[in-house]
Amino acid sequence: IAVSRQVNRNQFQSELKITLPQNGVYTLQVAGANSAVQSGKYSLKIANLEPLSVSTGNKKPTPKVENENKLQNLEEEFKRSERFTLLAQADQFFQGGNKAKAEQLYRQVKRPFELEKNSQILQPITNPKQLIPEGQSLWMQSQAVWKETSDPSSLQKFVQQYPEFIPGHLLLAEAYKQQQKTEQSLNVLEQATSLFPDSYELIIAQVQALEADKKYLEASIAARQFTLIQPEHPQTPALTESADKNLKKFQGRLEGQMVRRGILGTAVRVGGCVLLGGCNPVGAIVGEGVKMGTLLIQGESGIGNEIAGMYKRELPIVQEGEIVDYVNELGNKIAKYMGRNDFKYEFYVVEDEALNAFALPGGKVFVNTGAILKTNSEAELAGLLAHEVSHAVLSHGFKQVITNNVYNNLGEIVNAALNNTVPIGNIIANLINLDYNRDQERQADLVGTRVLATSGYAADGLHNLMITLAEQKGSKGGTSFFSSHPATNERVAYIEELIQRNGYNRYAFEGVEKHAKIQEKITAL
């Protein structure tokens, strides 16, 4: 066999010429190098195949089909190897400071976003003069009709036709407010901020409306989301203060409700016995009630610590030092940009093949080994962690507990826990792990992407993970990261828009080599 190999190093392409000694059907197996250092080193194996035959009497793949599948798998493996090599080289250039060369290589691997090609990003407008003439005329007509009739339907039609016009959303929300239709007003602002999460005018209106409706936890979440997406905005310090203030108001209101229901107290007398923890079956109920109330008053960190302790006892937690250190390094790198210094962040690796991760209140995050194995780079795994930490930072899990009426149904919950020997911690954990709603998933996606970009990773890490998730929908194993709220293709689209609108760098560090080494260690477990 005569083999010659020519390489054009500028284009990273190879040409392989093979002369075979006799007629026949052959397969060529190419084992590529696994690191950029060894790139260009291949082992080649030429093997003669038996004559092919086609059988219609049996449903098993024919040798011809099997051969085609093998060739397809080899081709896909070669493409993955080539992609890995390019990304590893780009990472080296990026870390070495040659970001222009790094971007050139990253662009060879990454396809342009659809929005990049079509330029369909919706740009916000705040001045009526920026509207087209027809829009300016319709805006004036809509305002006139509303002032004359107090009917907001004309404003609603205008907003539907010109969703990019911020004053339209604000006036429509105000119109509903004047009619004392609070929920409709809040819905208008919620929809508007989902379109433009970085609009200060919309966010401040939403926060004020939620405060007026005494929805202090929701007001805190809305303010904090803005501070994380727009950390350099001049009003970010004021909104951070607002987020903290409203969270404390919520905690105070919750504590007042607990006291009024008799759930909290220094001691409770039952059957002639003064209890704080319980000394008989009835006392145990009181003790669990006090425990539940205490956890809720301690807030996110208290609940998170309780449930994390339970999970650490029940789940197969990975102890291998290098794997644990890797995830902790990534997680803490992300967490420092999250703006919640009241949390003690902790990251744990669970030995489970499902592509999944979850966060508890207070910043306790658990990630499966399956997620590490099925992500393609540090940037993708960091995107997953950023998404989950965002849920914790935005108090989503804590809100799940509260909105599922834990304190309103405390007696039933405690009785159920005792009768079925299920600890209070398990019940709270089940409430936390209910699927997040559409808005919560979107908030975590947007905040996670912003933090990912700020931390120095490729801004499309979470976006690329979504593409991977779309291919993993058949996987099993508990509550999955790829929630149907909203659909994956919709999530991909609005993450692309966020990256484009804010100029986040998707041609930054991917981190493929170290990630591959950690994957090898996990596979060896």
Side-chain angles (χ1 to χ4, degrees):
I1 300 176
V3 178
S4 65
R5 183 171 182 273
Q6 298 176 350
V7 180
N8 184 332
R9 297 192 180 277
N10 293 326
Q11 297 180 0
F12 298 94
Q13 294 176 347
S14 299
E15 179 183 354
L16 181 65
K17 295 182 179 179
I18 301 175
T19 303
L20 300 175
Q22 61 185 37
N23 294 332
V25 181
Y26 295 82
T27 179
L28 172 63
Q29 298 175 341
V30 183
N34 292 323
S35 71
V37 177
Q38 296 177 329
S39 64
K41 297 182 179 179
Y42 300 93
S43 61
L44 306 181
K45 179 181 179 182
I46 310 296
N48 180 242
L49 298 181
E50 295 296 326
L52 301 179
S53 62
V54 179
S55 171
T56 58
N58 112 24
K59 295 183 179 180
K60 293 182 179 180
T62 64
K64 182 177 181 180
V65 172
E66 289 179 345
N67 186 43
E68 289 175 349
N69 289 339
K70 288 178 181 178
L71 292 175
Q72 183 178 355
N73 291 338
L74 283 170
E75 183 178 357
E76 291 174 356
E77 180 60 34
F78 180 76
K79 287 180 180 177
R80 283 193 294 269
S81 177
E82 185 178 37
R83 181 180 185 277
F84 180 92
T85 299
L86 285 173
L87 288 176
Q89 291 173 338
D91 284 342
Q92 290 176 359
F93 281 120
F94 187 86
Q95 289 184 308
N98 191 345
K99 296 184 178 180
K101 181 63 176 177
E103 179 175 339
Q104 181 184 356
L105 295 178
Y106 287 133
R107 284 183 178 275
Q108 289 188 42
V109 175
K110 298 185 177 187
R111 290 177 295 181
F113 288 162
E114 287 301 316
L115 288 171
E116 279 184 277
K117 294 184 288 187
N118 301 327
S119 300
Q120 294 176 343
I121 298 176
L122 194 65
Q123 297 293 343
I125 294 176
T126 56
N127 190 329
K129 293 181 180 179
Q130 295 175 291
L131 292 166
I132 60 174
E134 293 84 351
Q136 295 179 34
S137 176
L138 185 58
W139 172 235
M140 295 177 65
Q141 292 174 21
S142 300
Q143 293 178 87
V145 170
W146 171 64
K147 289 177 181 178
E148 184 177 345
T149 65
S150 298
D151 182 1
S153 59
S154 59
L155 290 172
Q156 186 174 10
K157 290 179 182 177
F158 173 83
V159 167
Q160 290 173 348
Q161 192 167 346
Y162 296 95
E164 69 275 20
F165 190 58
I166 302 296
H169 296 283
L170 295 172
L171 188 57
L172 179 57
E174 178 62 27
Y176 280 125
K177 179 184 175 182
Q178 290 185 15
Q179 290 188 334
Q180 296 185 338
K181 295 180 178 179
T182 304
E183 284 305 312
Q184 288 94 324
S185 178
L186 289 173
N187 287 339
V188 168
L189 293 171
E190 179 66 37
Q191 292 172 9
T193 54
S194 70
L195 284 174
F196 304 107
D198 48 1
S199 167
Y200 173 74
E201 293 81 4
L202 290 174
I203 290 295
I204 196 65
Q206 184 184 30
V207 169
Q208 291 172 350
L210 289 167
E211 287 176 340
D213 200 35
K214 296 184 178 179
K215 293 184 176 180
Y216 299 120
L217 180 58
E218 289 85 346
S220 175
I221 291 171
R224 202 174 304 281
Q225 178 188 349
F226 180 86
T227 66
L228 293 172
I229 293 177
Q230 291 279 53
E232 304 301 325
H233 194 280
Q235 294 299 326
T236 286
L239 278 172
T240 299
E241 185 178 342
S242 171
D244 294 339
K245 177 192 72 175
N246 281 307
L247 186 59
K248 289 179 181 177
K249 278 188 178 181
F250 172 78
Q251 287 289 101
R253 192 177 183 208
L254 177 62
E255 184 173 356
Q257 290 171 327
M258 292 290 184
V259 171
R260 286 194 296 274
R261 285 167 173 78
I263 295 170
L264 294 181
T266 55
V268 182
R269 181 175 296 277
V270 176
C273 184
V274 177
L275 303 172
L276 184 57
C279 59
N280 57 37
V282 178
I285 295 178
V286 178
E288 288 292 292
V290 172
K291 180 179 179 182
M292 171 71 86
T294 302
L295 278 179
L296 293 177
I297 296 308
Q298 286 177 355
E300 298 166 86
S301 293
I303 291 176
N305 286 332
E306 177 74 15
I307 310 307
M310 181 191 74
Y311 279 150
K312 285 189 286 184
R313 292 189 297 271
E314 295 183 359
L315 296 175
I317 303 296
V318 173
Q319 303 294 338
E320 205 283 333
E322 196 168 349
I323 297 172
V324 173
D325 290 346
Y326 177 65
V327 172
N328 270 285
E329 180 184 345
L330 263 63
N332 284 305
K333 188 174 181 180
I334 292 296
K336 72 178 182 180
Y337 294 100
M338 286 291 182
R340 288 295 296 269
N341 298 326
D342 53 323
F343 286 176
K344 181 183 178 182
Y345 295 97
E346 295 175 3
F347 299 88
Y348 302 96
V349 181
V350 181
E351 191 172 344
D352 189 310
E353 65 180 11
L355 199 169
N356 196 21
F358 63 89
L360 300 175
K364 309 297 186 284
V365 181
F366 292 75
V367 58
N368 286 357
T369 51
I372 303 174
L373 289 174
K374 293 170 185 174
T375 47
N376 297 308
S377 66
E378 276 187 46
E380 283 193 24
L381 180 58
L384 172 60
L385 294 175
H387 174 96
E388 292 303 331
V389 174
S390 296
H391 277 309
V393 166
L394 295 171
S395 303
H396 290 163
F398 187 46
K399 187 180 177 185
Q400 294 282 69
V401 176
I402 303 305
T403 55
N404 280 285
N405 295 318
V406 170
Y407 53 87
N408 285 330
N409 301 289
L410 187 64
E412 295 178 15
I413 289 175
V414 172
N415 276 310
L418 293 170
N419 293 336
N420 297 295
T421 66
V422 179
I424 285 292
N426 289 74
I427 293 176
I428 297 180
N430 288 335
L431 291 173
I432 291 172
N433 286 332
L434 293 173
D435 281 347
Y436 293 117
N437 65 36
R438 187 186 194 91
D439 292 332
Q440 289 171 329
E441 290 290 2
R442 183 186 183 95
Q443 288 172 342
D445 288 341
L446 297 180
V447 170
T449 296
R450 203 287 303 171
V451 169
L452 187 66
T454 304
S455 65
Y457 285 107
D460 57 358
L462 182 58
H463 166 276
N464 296 337
L465 177 61
M466 293 295 173
I467 305 298
T468 302
L469 292 173
E471 301 169 355
Q472 297 291 336
K473 284 201 172 184
S475 62
K476 301 178 181 179
T479 303
S480 174
F481 173 74
F482 51 81
S483 168
S484 58
H485 309 290
T488 302
N489 57 348
E490 182 183 341
R491 298 172 81 170
V492 167
Y494 64 61
I495 291 174
E496 287 187 6
E497 183 170 339
L498 179 74
I499 291 172
Q500 287 292 100
R501 178 182 291 129
N502 291 280
Y504 297 154
N505 185 14
R506 55 184 298 233
Y507 305 110
F509 187 67
E510 285 285 343
V512 293
E513 289 193 295
K514 185 175 181 180
H515 192 70
K517 291 178 181 177
I518 297 298
Q519 287 175 323
E520 290 176 4
K521 286 189 172 294
I522 290 174
T523 303
L525 286 177

